[in-house]
Structure formats: structure tokens, C-alpha cells
Amino acid sequence: MKPYSKDEIGAFMELAIKEAHKAYEAGEVPVGAILVSEHGEIISSGYNCPISSMDPTAHAEIVAIRSAAQKLNNYRLTDTIMFVTLEPCIMCAGALVWARISKLFFGAWDKKSGAFGSVVDINTLPGLNHRIEVAGGIFEKRCAALLQDFFRERREKG
């Protein structure tokens, strides 16, 4: 798998942030995700939509994984890279492992439910037959600010 430059990582994170803005505009928690092939081609994207879809599993990562699996006609997404604006929760971390995603780049750390180091680190669990290469804190302040703004607005509206 080719190594990505800082500029390439930044460009994909910008796209994930655009997806997060779609969630924000829809009144959903603003998290966005992009799934990219080993050659740098965008396979799929997604943003949080559990409220509008009435599906508690409709997190950005899951939406992107489902879309990619359908597009590639394969439940295994080996040699792919996920870019997401928030550290994945345990549900999404499990989905990334089962899909065999190779690398994960994420923005803000999730101190309440993050599953790649904040609360738990799924990569350290015994018995898993797949580990994901992870880098967190990419555009961390921007990704965190988007979430903070969203929740501040929600509190102000009552």
C-alpha cells in the first residue's frame, strides 16, 4: 500500500469534514467519513444519519462501509483507508476490523466512547485476527470545533 503524504491525508480529511457538514445541516451529529482505495481513489463516503434513517447503526463509518461493500461487491474491504472526523466508537471500530480496513486516519479524539485509544483500544484486544494501522488527531481542532458548535447550538435552542 502506498504511503500517503501530509497533503494527501489533509485532502482526504477535508472531504470527510465536508461530509460532517452535511450531517450538521441535517441536524445529525456532525461526523463524516471517506473510504479510499490503496491507489487513492475514493470508494465511498458517509455521514452520521441515525436520526433521519431511524437506524442507530447509521454512523458515518458504517454508512461508508456499507456503500463500499455494495460498490465493490465484497464484504472484505482489504487495502482500503478510512478517513473520519471523530475517533470511531466500539461499534464502528468492530466494523472496521471485520471489513479488514487497513488504515484509519481520524480527527478528534472521543474521550467518552472512542475505541482506538481514548476509552478502549480495539487493536489491543486478544483474539482478533486483524489489526488496523491508526493515526489520530488529524485536523483535531477543526473536527472538535465542529462538534462543539453543534452541541452548543442544540443546548441554546433547548
Side-chain angles (χ1 to χ4, degrees), residues 109-149:
W109 294 89
D110 187 345
K111 302 295 183 195
K112 293 182 180 178
S113 62
F116 282 99
S118 288
V119 176
V120 68
D121 186 348
I122 197 164
N123 276 330
T124 64
L125 297 178
L128 294 180
N129 63 352
H130 179 71
R131 304 281 185 241
I132 299 170
E133 189 177 324
V134 179
I138 315 294
F139 295 161
E140 181 177 9
K141 289 181 182 177
R142 284 181 58 201
C143 293
L146 186 58
L147 289 157
Q148 291 163 351
D149 291 348

PDB file of all heavy atoms in Angstrom, residues 109-149:
ATOM      1  N   TRP A 109     -10.330  13.213  18.968  1.00  0.00           N
ATOM      2  CA  TRP A 109     -10.386  12.080  19.905  1.00  0.00           C
ATOM      3  C   TRP A 109     -11.740  12.121  20.590  1.00  0.00           C
ATOM      4  O   TRP A 109     -12.273  13.198  20.864  1.00  0.00           O
ATOM      5  CB  TRP A 109      -9.261  12.184  20.936  1.00  0.00           C
ATOM      6  CG  TRP A 109      -7.905  12.034  20.328  1.00  0.00           C
ATOM      7  CD1 TRP A 109      -7.112  13.021  19.815  1.00  0.00           C
ATOM      8  CD2 TRP A 109      -7.187  10.814  20.143  1.00  0.00           C
ATOM      9  NE1 TRP A 109      -5.941  12.489  19.327  1.00  0.00           N
ATOM     10  CE2 TRP A 109      -5.962  11.134  19.517  1.00  0.00           C
ATOM     11  CE3 TRP A 109      -7.457   9.484  20.442  1.00  0.00           C
ATOM     12  CZ2 TRP A 109      -5.014  10.168  19.194  1.00  0.00           C
ATOM     13  CZ3 TRP A 109      -6.508   8.525  20.119  1.00  0.00           C
ATOM     14  CH2 TRP A 109      -5.304   8.868  19.501  1.00  0.00           C
ATOM     15  N   ASP A 110     -12.317  10.962  20.885  1.00  0.00           N
ATOM     16  CA  ASP A 110     -13.600  10.876  21.567  1.00  0.00           C
ATOM     17  C   ASP A 110     -13.379  10.312  22.968  1.00  0.00           C
ATOM     18  O   ASP A 110     -13.325   9.099  23.165  1.00  0.00           O
ATOM     19  CB  ASP A 110     -14.562   9.991  20.779  1.00  0.00           C
ATOM     20  CG  ASP A 110     -15.967  10.002  21.343  1.00  0.00           C
ATOM     21  OD1 ASP A 110     -16.157  10.457  22.495  1.00  0.00           O
ATOM     22  OD2 ASP A 110     -16.879   9.547  20.638  1.00  0.00           O
ATOM     23  N   LYS A 111     -13.278  11.218  23.938  1.00  0.00           N
ATOM     24  CA  LYS A 111     -12.965  10.829  25.315  1.00  0.00           C
ATOM     25  C   LYS A 111     -14.099  10.065  25.998  1.00  0.00           C
ATOM     26  O   LYS A 111     -13.907   9.476  27.047  1.00  0.00           O
ATOM     27  CB  LYS A 111     -12.624  12.074  26.158  1.00  0.00           C
ATOM     28  CG  LYS A 111     -11.462  12.880  25.619  1.00  0.00           C
ATOM     29  CD  LYS A 111     -10.163  12.107  25.661  1.00  0.00           C
ATOM     30  CE  LYS A 111      -9.020  12.981  25.191  1.00  0.00           C
ATOM     31  NZ  LYS A 111      -7.827  12.239  24.879  1.00  0.00           N
ATOM     32  N   LYS A 112     -15.299  10.069  25.407  1.00  0.00           N
ATOM     33  CA  LYS A 112     -16.435   9.372  26.009  1.00  0.00           C
ATOM     34  C   LYS A 112     -16.652   7.971  25.440  1.00  0.00           C
ATOM     35  O   LYS A 112     -17.119   7.085  26.152  1.00  0.00           O
ATOM     36  CB  LYS A 112     -17.714  10.192  25.829  1.00  0.00           C
ATOM     37  CG  LYS A 112     -17.699  11.485  26.617  1.00  0.00           C
ATOM     38  CD  LYS A 112     -18.992  12.232  26.451  1.00  0.00           C
ATOM     39  CE  LYS A 112     -18.945  13.520  27.258  1.00  0.00           C
ATOM     40  NZ  LYS A 112     -20.175  14.300  27.078  1.00  0.00           N
ATOM     41  N   SER A 113     -16.343   7.789  24.157  1.00  0.00           N
ATOM     42  CA  SER A 113     -16.633   6.477  23.574  1.00  0.00           C
ATOM     43  C   SER A 113     -15.654   6.036  22.489  1.00  0.00           C
ATOM     44  O   SER A 113     -15.951   5.115  21.735  1.00  0.00           O
ATOM     45  CB  SER A 113     -18.069   6.438  23.025  1.00  0.00           C
ATOM     46  OG  SER A 113     -18.222   7.396  22.000  1.00  0.00           O
ATOM     47  N   GLY A 114     -14.503   6.665  22.425  1.00  0.00           N
ATOM     48  CA  GLY A 114     -13.518   6.313  21.406  1.00  0.00           C
ATOM     49  C   GLY A 114     -12.921   4.928  21.619  1.00  0.00           C
ATOM     50  O   GLY A 114     -12.585   4.550  22.737  1.00  0.00           O
ATOM     51  N   ALA A 115     -12.794   4.181  20.506  1.00  0.00           N
ATOM     52  CA  ALA A 115     -12.341   2.789  20.610  1.00  0.00           C
ATOM     53  C   ALA A 115     -10.972   2.540  19.968  1.00  0.00           C
ATOM     54  O   ALA A 115     -10.614   1.399  19.701  1.00  0.00           O
ATOM     55  CB  ALA A 115     -13.380   1.869  19.993  1.00  0.00           C
ATOM     56  N   PHE A 116     -10.220   3.608  19.725  1.00  0.00           N
ATOM     57  CA  PHE A 116      -8.853   3.454  19.229  1.00  0.00           C
ATOM     58  C   PHE A 116      -7.867   4.192  20.123  1.00  0.00           C
ATOM     59  O   PHE A 116      -6.909   4.777  19.647  1.00  0.00           O
ATOM     60  CB  PHE A 116      -8.739   3.911  17.769  1.00  0.00           C
ATOM     61  CG  PHE A 116      -9.267   2.895  16.802  1.00  0.00           C
ATOM     62  CD1 PHE A 116     -10.536   3.024  16.268  1.00  0.00           C
ATOM     63  CD2 PHE A 116      -8.512   1.787  16.443  1.00  0.00           C
ATOM     64  CE1 PHE A 116     -11.036   2.070  15.386  1.00  0.00           C
ATOM     65  CE2 PHE A 116      -8.998   0.834  15.561  1.00  0.00           C
ATOM     66  CZ  PHE A 116     -10.271   0.976  15.032  1.00  0.00           C
ATOM     67  N   GLY A 117      -8.137   4.173  21.428  1.00  0.00           N
ATOM     68  CA  GLY A 117      -7.187   4.729  22.375  1.00  0.00           C
ATOM     69  C   GLY A 117      -7.776   5.591  23.468  1.00  0.00           C
ATOM     70  O   GLY A 117      -7.212   5.670  24.546  1.00  0.00           O
ATOM     71  N   SER A 118      -8.906   6.246  23.227  1.00  0.00           N
ATOM     72  CA  SER A 118      -9.455   7.138  24.249  1.00  0.00           C
ATOM     73  C   SER A 118     -10.069   6.383  25.424  1.00  0.00           C
ATOM     74  O   SER A 118      -9.728   6.638  26.575  1.00  0.00           O
ATOM     75  CB  SER A 118     -10.495   8.084  23.648  1.00  0.00           C
ATOM     76  OG  SER A 118      -9.860   9.059  22.851  1.00  0.00           O
ATOM     77  N   VAL A 119     -10.999   5.481  25.155  1.00  0.00           N
ATOM     78  CA  VAL A 119     -11.656   4.709  26.197  1.00  0.00           C
ATOM     79  C   VAL A 119     -11.137   3.275  26.191  1.00  0.00           C
ATOM     80  O   VAL A 119     -10.851   2.694  27.231  1.00  0.00           O
ATOM     81  CB  VAL A 119     -13.196   4.724  26.017  1.00  0.00           C
ATOM     82  CG1 VAL A 119     -13.878   3.832  27.039  1.00  0.00           C
ATOM     83  CG2 VAL A 119     -13.717   6.152  26.108  1.00  0.00           C
ATOM     84  N   VAL A 120     -11.037   2.720  25.025  1.00  0.00           N
ATOM     85  CA  VAL A 120     -10.516   1.373  24.812  1.00  0.00           C
ATOM     86  C   VAL A 120      -9.717   1.418  23.504  1.00  0.00           C
ATOM     87  O   VAL A 120      -9.891   2.342  22.705  1.00  0.00           O
ATOM     88  CB  VAL A 120     -11.681   0.344  24.743  1.00  0.00           C
ATOM     89  CG1 VAL A 120     -12.530   0.531  23.516  1.00  0.00           C
ATOM     90  CG2 VAL A 120     -11.183  -1.077  24.815  1.00  0.00           C
ATOM     91  N   ASP A 121      -8.851   0.456  23.306  1.00  0.00           N
ATOM     92  CA  ASP A 121      -8.136   0.360  22.034  1.00  0.00           C
ATOM     93  C   ASP A 121      -8.403  -1.026  21.472  1.00  0.00           C
ATOM     94  O   ASP A 121      -7.852  -2.019  21.943  1.00  0.00           O
ATOM     95  CB  ASP A 121      -6.639   0.592  22.213  1.00  0.00           C
ATOM     96  CG  ASP A 121      -5.901   0.646  20.884  1.00  0.00           C
ATOM     97  OD1 ASP A 121      -6.501   0.286  19.842  1.00  0.00           O
ATOM     98  OD2 ASP A 121      -4.728   1.040  20.885  1.00  0.00           O
ATOM     99  N   ILE A 122      -9.265  -1.085  20.484  1.00  0.00           N
ATOM    100  CA  ILE A 122      -9.657  -2.373  19.908  1.00  0.00           C
ATOM    101  C   ILE A 122      -8.453  -3.139  19.373  1.00  0.00           C
ATOM    102  O   ILE A 122      -8.448  -4.368  19.361  1.00  0.00           O
ATOM    103  CB  ILE A 122     -10.744  -2.193  18.826  1.00  0.00           C
ATOM    104  CG1 ILE A 122     -11.427  -3.538  18.543  1.00  0.00           C
ATOM    105  CG2 ILE A 122     -10.173  -1.565  17.569  1.00  0.00           C
ATOM    106  CD1 ILE A 122     -12.721  -3.426  17.797  1.00  0.00           C
ATOM    107  N   ASN A 123      -7.426  -2.438  18.955  1.00  0.00           N
ATOM    108  CA  ASN A 123      -6.232  -3.105  18.432  1.00  0.00           C
ATOM    109  C   ASN A 123      -5.483  -3.916  19.485  1.00  0.00           C
ATOM    110  O   ASN A 123      -4.641  -4.733  19.142  1.00  0.00           O
ATOM    111  CB  ASN A 123      -5.278  -2.095  17.793  1.00  0.00           C
ATOM    112  CG  ASN A 123      -5.642  -1.787  16.361  1.00  0.00           C
ATOM    113  OD1 ASN A 123      -6.191  -2.618  15.648  1.00  0.00           O
ATOM    114  ND2 ASN A 123      -5.337  -0.581  15.926  1.00  0.00           N
ATOM    115  N   THR A 124      -5.782  -3.689  20.763  1.00  0.00           N
ATOM    116  CA  THR A 124      -5.091  -4.423  21.824  1.00  0.00           C
ATOM    117  C   THR A 124      -5.895  -5.622  22.330  1.00  0.00           C
ATOM    118  O   THR A 124      -5.405  -6.367  23.171  1.00  0.00           O
ATOM    119  CB  THR A 124      -4.774  -3.505  23.026  1.00  0.00           C
ATOM    120  OG1 THR A 124      -6.001  -3.061  23.612  1.00  0.00           O
ATOM    121  CG2 THR A 124      -3.918  -2.321  22.604  1.00  0.00           C
ATOM    122  N   LEU A 125      -7.095  -5.795  21.836  1.00  0.00           N
ATOM    123  CA  LEU A 125      -7.926  -6.908  22.290  1.00  0.00           C
ATOM    124  C   LEU A 125      -7.359  -8.227  21.769  1.00  0.00           C
ATOM    125  O   LEU A 125      -7.032  -8.345  20.589  1.00  0.00           O
ATOM    126  CB  LEU A 125      -9.370  -6.741  21.814  1.00  0.00           C
ATOM    127  CG  LEU A 125     -10.108  -5.518  22.362  1.00  0.00           C
ATOM    128  CD1 LEU A 125     -11.509  -5.440  21.772  1.00  0.00           C
ATOM    129  CD2 LEU A 125     -10.159  -5.540  23.875  1.00  0.00           C
ATOM    130  N   PRO A 126      -7.249  -9.217  22.640  1.00  0.00           N
ATOM    131  CA  PRO A 126      -6.715 -10.513  22.205  1.00  0.00           C
ATOM    132  C   PRO A 126      -7.709 -11.239  21.296  1.00  0.00           C
ATOM    133  O   PRO A 126      -8.911 -11.029  21.390  1.00  0.00           O
ATOM    134  CB  PRO A 126      -6.510 -11.270  23.518  1.00  0.00           C
ATOM    135  CG  PRO A 126      -7.459 -10.643  24.474  1.00  0.00           C
ATOM    136  CD  PRO A 126      -7.596  -9.199  24.061  1.00  0.00           C
ATOM    137  N   GLY A 127      -7.169 -12.058  20.430  1.00  0.00           N
ATOM    138  CA  GLY A 127      -8.016 -12.909  19.616  1.00  0.00           C
ATOM    139  C   GLY A 127      -8.450 -12.348  18.281  1.00  0.00           C
ATOM    140  O   GLY A 127      -8.913 -13.097  17.433  1.00  0.00           O
ATOM    141  N   LEU A 128      -8.320 -11.055  18.089  1.00  0.00           N
ATOM    142  CA  LEU A 128      -8.703 -10.504  16.791  1.00  0.00           C
ATOM    143  C   LEU A 128      -7.659 -10.898  15.754  1.00  0.00           C
ATOM    144  O   LEU A 128      -6.459 -10.847  16.012  1.00  0.00           O
ATOM    145  CB  LEU A 128      -8.823  -8.980  16.855  1.00  0.00           C
ATOM    146  CG  LEU A 128      -9.943  -8.418  17.720  1.00  0.00           C
ATOM    147  CD1 LEU A 128      -9.931  -6.902  17.677  1.00  0.00           C
ATOM    148  CD2 LEU A 128     -11.293  -8.944  17.282  1.00  0.00           C
ATOM    149  N   ASN A 129      -8.125 -11.254  14.558  1.00  0.00           N
ATOM    150  CA  ASN A 129      -7.182 -11.669  13.528  1.00  0.00           C
ATOM    151  C   ASN A 129      -6.832 -10.548  12.558  1.00  0.00           C
ATOM    152  O   ASN A 129      -6.232 -10.793  11.516  1.00  0.00           O
ATOM    153  CB  ASN A 129      -7.728 -12.873  12.758  1.00  0.00           C
ATOM    154  CG  ASN A 129      -9.005 -12.555  12.012  1.00  0.00           C
ATOM    155  OD1 ASN A 129      -9.576 -11.495  12.170  1.00  0.00           O
ATOM    156  ND2 ASN A 129      -9.453 -13.497  11.210  1.00  0.00           N
ATOM    157  N   HIS A 130      -7.208  -9.327  12.892  1.00  0.00           N
ATOM    158  CA  HIS A 130      -6.876  -8.184  12.044  1.00  0.00           C
ATOM    159  C   HIS A 130      -6.600  -6.972  12.926  1.00  0.00           C
ATOM    160  O   HIS A 130      -7.322  -6.724  13.886  1.00  0.00           O
ATOM    161  CB  HIS A 130      -8.028  -7.876  11.073  1.00  0.00           C
ATOM    162  CG  HIS A 130      -7.776  -6.712  10.187  1.00  0.00           C
ATOM    163  ND1 HIS A 130      -6.855  -6.745   9.160  1.00  0.00           N
ATOM    164  CD2 HIS A 130      -8.292  -5.465  10.168  1.00  0.00           C
ATOM    165  CE1 HIS A 130      -6.836  -5.576   8.550  1.00  0.00           C
ATOM    166  NE2 HIS A 130      -7.708  -4.773   9.149  1.00  0.00           N
ATOM    167  N   ARG A 131      -5.587  -6.251  12.606  1.00  0.00           N
ATOM    168  CA  ARG A 131      -5.243  -5.003  13.298  1.00  0.00           C
ATOM    169  C   ARG A 131      -5.230  -3.879  12.267  1.00  0.00           C
ATOM    170  O   ARG A 131      -4.872  -4.090  11.100  1.00  0.00           O
ATOM    171  CB  ARG A 131      -3.861  -5.090  13.953  1.00  0.00           C
ATOM    172  CG  ARG A 131      -3.706  -6.243  14.922  1.00  0.00           C
ATOM    173  CD  ARG A 131      -4.348  -5.942  16.260  1.00  0.00           C
ATOM    174  NE  ARG A 131      -4.087  -7.024  17.199  1.00  0.00           N
ATOM    175  CZ  ARG A 131      -5.027  -7.759  17.764  1.00  0.00           C
ATOM    176  NH1 ARG A 131      -6.284  -7.542  17.485  1.00  0.00           N
ATOM    177  NH2 ARG A 131      -4.727  -8.712  18.606  1.00  0.00           N
ATOM    178  N   ILE A 132      -5.584  -2.698  12.713  1.00  0.00           N
ATOM    179  CA  ILE A 132      -5.659  -1.534  11.835  1.00  0.00           C
ATOM    180  C   ILE A 132      -4.555  -0.558  12.204  1.00  0.00           C
ATOM    181  O   ILE A 132      -4.366  -0.250  13.387  1.00  0.00           O
ATOM    182  CB  ILE A 132      -7.047  -0.862  11.968  1.00  0.00           C
ATOM    183  CG1 ILE A 132      -8.139  -1.860  11.554  1.00  0.00           C
ATOM    184  CG2 ILE A 132      -7.103   0.408  11.129  1.00  0.00           C
ATOM    185  CD1 ILE A 132      -9.532  -1.395  11.860  1.00  0.00           C
ATOM    186  N   GLU A 133      -3.857  -0.068  11.214  1.00  0.00           N
ATOM    187  CA  GLU A 133      -2.866   0.988  11.432  1.00  0.00           C
ATOM    188  C   GLU A 133      -3.641   2.292  11.650  1.00  0.00           C
ATOM    189  O   GLU A 133      -4.493   2.649  10.829  1.00  0.00           O
ATOM    190  CB  GLU A 133      -1.970   1.092  10.197  1.00  0.00           C
ATOM    191  CG  GLU A 133      -0.783   1.982  10.368  1.00  0.00           C
ATOM    192  CD  GLU A 133       0.093   1.990   9.132  1.00  0.00           C
ATOM    193  OE1 GLU A 133       0.232   0.942   8.464  1.00  0.00           O
ATOM    194  OE2 GLU A 133       0.628   3.077   8.829  1.00  0.00           O
ATOM    195  N   VAL A 134      -3.356   2.993  12.755  1.00  0.00           N
ATOM    196  CA  VAL A 134      -4.170   4.144  13.157  1.00  0.00           C
ATOM    197  C   VAL A 134      -3.324   5.384  13.378  1.00  0.00           C
ATOM    198  O   VAL A 134      -2.248   5.316  13.973  1.00  0.00           O
ATOM    199  CB  VAL A 134      -4.933   3.825  14.469  1.00  0.00           C
ATOM    200  CG1 VAL A 134      -5.768   5.015  14.911  1.00  0.00           C
ATOM    201  CG2 VAL A 134      -5.798   2.585  14.313  1.00  0.00           C
ATOM    202  N   ALA A 135      -3.852   6.524  12.926  1.00  0.00           N
ATOM    203  CA  ALA A 135      -3.278   7.836  13.235  1.00  0.00           C
ATOM    204  C   ALA A 135      -4.430   8.767  13.585  1.00  0.00           C
ATOM    205  O   ALA A 135      -5.346   8.966  12.784  1.00  0.00           O
ATOM    206  CB  ALA A 135      -2.486   8.387  12.055  1.00  0.00           C
ATOM    207  N   GLY A 136      -4.414   9.309  14.805  1.00  0.00           N
ATOM    208  CA  GLY A 136      -5.472  10.202  15.252  1.00  0.00           C
ATOM    209  C   GLY A 136      -4.965  11.623  15.415  1.00  0.00           C
ATOM    210  O   GLY A 136      -3.765  11.875  15.406  1.00  0.00           O
ATOM    211  N   GLY A 137      -5.904  12.544  15.550  1.00  0.00           N
ATOM    212  CA  GLY A 137      -5.564  13.944  15.771  1.00  0.00           C
ATOM    213  C   GLY A 137      -5.324  14.730  14.499  1.00  0.00           C
ATOM    214  O   GLY A 137      -4.763  15.822  14.552  1.00  0.00           O
ATOM    215  N   ILE A 138      -5.767  14.219  13.347  1.00  0.00           N
ATOM    216  CA  ILE A 138      -5.607  14.925  12.069  1.00  0.00           C
ATOM    217  C   ILE A 138      -6.674  16.028  12.014  1.00  0.00           C
ATOM    218  O   ILE A 138      -7.865  15.748  12.090  1.00  0.00           O
ATOM    219  CB  ILE A 138      -5.791  13.975  10.862  1.00  0.00           C
ATOM    220  CG1 ILE A 138      -5.038  12.659  11.044  1.00  0.00           C
ATOM    221  CG2 ILE A 138      -5.449  14.675   9.559  1.00  0.00           C
ATOM    222  CD1 ILE A 138      -3.554  12.732  11.076  1.00  0.00           C
ATOM    223  N   PHE A 139      -6.239  17.273  11.894  1.00  0.00           N
ATOM    224  CA  PHE A 139      -7.167  18.427  11.932  1.00  0.00           C
ATOM    225  C   PHE A 139      -8.051  18.365  13.179  1.00  0.00           C
ATOM    226  O   PHE A 139      -9.241  18.667  13.159  1.00  0.00           O
ATOM    227  CB  PHE A 139      -8.039  18.505  10.679  1.00  0.00           C
ATOM    228  CG  PHE A 139      -7.308  18.762   9.395  1.00  0.00           C
ATOM    229  CD1 PHE A 139      -7.896  18.471   8.177  1.00  0.00           C
ATOM    230  CD2 PHE A 139      -6.031  19.302   9.378  1.00  0.00           C
ATOM    231  CE1 PHE A 139      -7.248  18.707   6.981  1.00  0.00           C
ATOM    232  CE2 PHE A 139      -5.362  19.544   8.192  1.00  0.00           C
ATOM    233  CZ  PHE A 139      -5.974  19.243   6.990  1.00  0.00           C
ATOM    234  N   GLU A 140      -7.442  17.946  14.279  1.00  0.00           N
ATOM    235  CA  GLU A 140      -8.180  17.708  15.519  1.00  0.00           C
ATOM    236  C   GLU A 140      -8.996  18.916  15.975  1.00  0.00           C
ATOM    237  O   GLU A 140     -10.176  18.783  16.325  1.00  0.00           O
ATOM    238  CB  GLU A 140      -7.201  17.288  16.618  1.00  0.00           C
ATOM    239  CG  GLU A 140      -7.870  17.005  17.934  1.00  0.00           C
ATOM    240  CD  GLU A 140      -6.910  16.516  18.999  1.00  0.00           C
ATOM    241  OE1 GLU A 140      -5.685  16.554  18.772  1.00  0.00           O
ATOM    242  OE2 GLU A 140      -7.390  16.093  20.051  1.00  0.00           O
ATOM    243  N   LYS A 141      -8.389  20.090  15.982  1.00  0.00           N
ATOM    244  CA  LYS A 141      -9.102  21.274  16.479  1.00  0.00           C
ATOM    245  C   LYS A 141     -10.314  21.601  15.618  1.00  0.00           C
ATOM    246  O   LYS A 141     -11.378  21.932  16.144  1.00  0.00           O
ATOM    247  CB  LYS A 141      -8.153  22.471  16.558  1.00  0.00           C
ATOM    248  CG  LYS A 141      -7.141  22.347  17.672  1.00  0.00           C
ATOM    249  CD  LYS A 141      -6.224  23.547  17.749  1.00  0.00           C
ATOM    250  CE  LYS A 141      -5.199  23.344  18.857  1.00  0.00           C
ATOM    251  NZ  LYS A 141      -4.239  24.437  18.944  1.00  0.00           N
ATOM    252  N   ARG A 142     -10.174  21.498  14.310  1.00  0.00           N
ATOM    253  CA  ARG A 142     -11.306  21.792  13.413  1.00  0.00           C
ATOM    254  C   ARG A 142     -12.430  20.783  13.604  1.00  0.00           C
ATOM    255  O   ARG A 142     -13.610  21.151  13.648  1.00  0.00           O
ATOM    256  CB  ARG A 142     -10.856  21.771  11.955  1.00  0.00           C
ATOM    257  CG  ARG A 142     -10.085  22.999  11.556  1.00  0.00           C
ATOM    258  CD  ARG A 142      -9.671  22.959  10.110  1.00  0.00           C
ATOM    259  NE  ARG A 142     -10.803  22.832   9.217  1.00  0.00           N
ATOM    260  CZ  ARG A 142     -10.703  22.380   7.968  1.00  0.00           C
ATOM    261  NH1 ARG A 142      -9.546  21.992   7.482  1.00  0.00           N
ATOM    262  NH2 ARG A 142     -11.768  22.303   7.205  1.00  0.00           N
ATOM    263  N   CYS A 143     -12.069  19.513  13.686  1.00  0.00           N
ATOM    264  CA  CYS A 143     -13.084  18.469  13.846  1.00  0.00           C
ATOM    265  C   CYS A 143     -13.791  18.600  15.195  1.00  0.00           C
ATOM    266  O   CYS A 143     -15.019  18.472  15.277  1.00  0.00           O
ATOM    267  CB  CYS A 143     -12.443  17.094  13.695  1.00  0.00           C
ATOM    268  SG  CYS A 143     -11.831  16.758  12.026  1.00  0.00           S
ATOM    269  N   ALA A 144     -13.028  18.876  16.241  1.00  0.00           N
ATOM    270  CA  ALA A 144     -13.617  19.054  17.578  1.00  0.00           C
ATOM    271  C   ALA A 144     -14.496  20.291  17.625  1.00  0.00           C
ATOM    272  O   ALA A 144     -15.582  20.265  18.223  1.00  0.00           O
ATOM    273  CB  ALA A 144     -12.512  19.126  18.633  1.00  0.00           C
ATOM    274  N   ALA A 145     -14.068  21.377  16.987  1.00  0.00           N
ATOM    275  CA  ALA A 145     -14.847  22.621  16.986  1.00  0.00           C
ATOM    276  C   ALA A 145     -16.197  22.419  16.309  1.00  0.00           C
ATOM    277  O   ALA A 145     -17.214  22.963  16.759  1.00  0.00           O
ATOM    278  CB  ALA A 145     -14.065  23.734  16.300  1.00  0.00           C
ATOM    279  N   LEU A 146     -16.225  21.644  15.245  1.00  0.00           N
ATOM    280  CA  LEU A 146     -17.480  21.376  14.554  1.00  0.00           C
ATOM    281  C   LEU A 146     -18.472  20.675  15.493  1.00  0.00           C
ATOM    282  O   LEU A 146     -19.643  21.052  15.577  1.00  0.00           O
ATOM    283  CB  LEU A 146     -17.209  20.514  13.316  1.00  0.00           C
ATOM    284  CG  LEU A 146     -18.367  20.241  12.374  1.00  0.00           C
ATOM    285  CD1 LEU A 146     -18.965  21.530  11.829  1.00  0.00           C
ATOM    286  CD2 LEU A 146     -17.893  19.349  11.233  1.00  0.00           C
ATOM    287  N   LEU A 147     -17.991  19.705  16.232  1.00  0.00           N
ATOM    288  CA  LEU A 147     -18.839  19.004  17.205  1.00  0.00           C
ATOM    289  C   LEU A 147     -19.267  19.924  18.340  1.00  0.00           C
ATOM    290  O   LEU A 147     -20.443  19.944  18.734  1.00  0.00           O
ATOM    291  CB  LEU A 147     -18.098  17.787  17.763  1.00  0.00           C
ATOM    292  CG  LEU A 147     -17.914  16.634  16.781  1.00  0.00           C
ATOM    293  CD1 LEU A 147     -16.745  15.750  17.180  1.00  0.00           C
ATOM    294  CD2 LEU A 147     -19.201  15.834  16.676  1.00  0.00           C
ATOM    295  N   GLN A 148     -18.332  20.708  18.858  1.00  0.00           N
ATOM    296  CA  GLN A 148     -18.647  21.627  19.952  1.00  0.00           C
ATOM    297  C   GLN A 148     -19.685  22.658  19.526  1.00  0.00           C
ATOM    298  O   GLN A 148     -20.628  22.952  20.266  1.00  0.00           O
ATOM    299  CB  GLN A 148     -17.376  22.316  20.452  1.00  0.00           C
ATOM    300  CG  GLN A 148     -16.441  21.359  21.161  1.00  0.00           C
ATOM    301  CD  GLN A 148     -15.023  21.892  21.301  1.00  0.00           C
ATOM    302  OE1 GLN A 148     -14.662  22.915  20.732  1.00  0.00           O
ATOM    303  NE2 GLN A 148     -14.199  21.171  22.051  1.00  0.00           N
ATOM    304  N   ASP A 149     -19.539  23.203  18.324  1.00  0.00           N
ATOM    305  CA  ASP A 149     -20.508  24.181  17.805  1.00  0.00           C
ATOM    306  C   ASP A 149     -21.894  23.554  17.685  1.00  0.00           C
ATOM    307  O   ASP A 149     -22.898  24.172  18.054  1.00  0.00           O
ATOM    308  CB  ASP A 149     -20.070  24.716  16.444  1.00  0.00           C
ATOM    309  CG  ASP A 149     -18.839  25.602  16.510  1.00  0.00           C
ATOM    310  OD1 ASP A 149     -18.436  26.002  17.624  1.00  0.00           O
ATOM    311  OD2 ASP A 149     -18.273  25.883  15.437  1.00  0.00           O
TER     312      ASP A 149
END
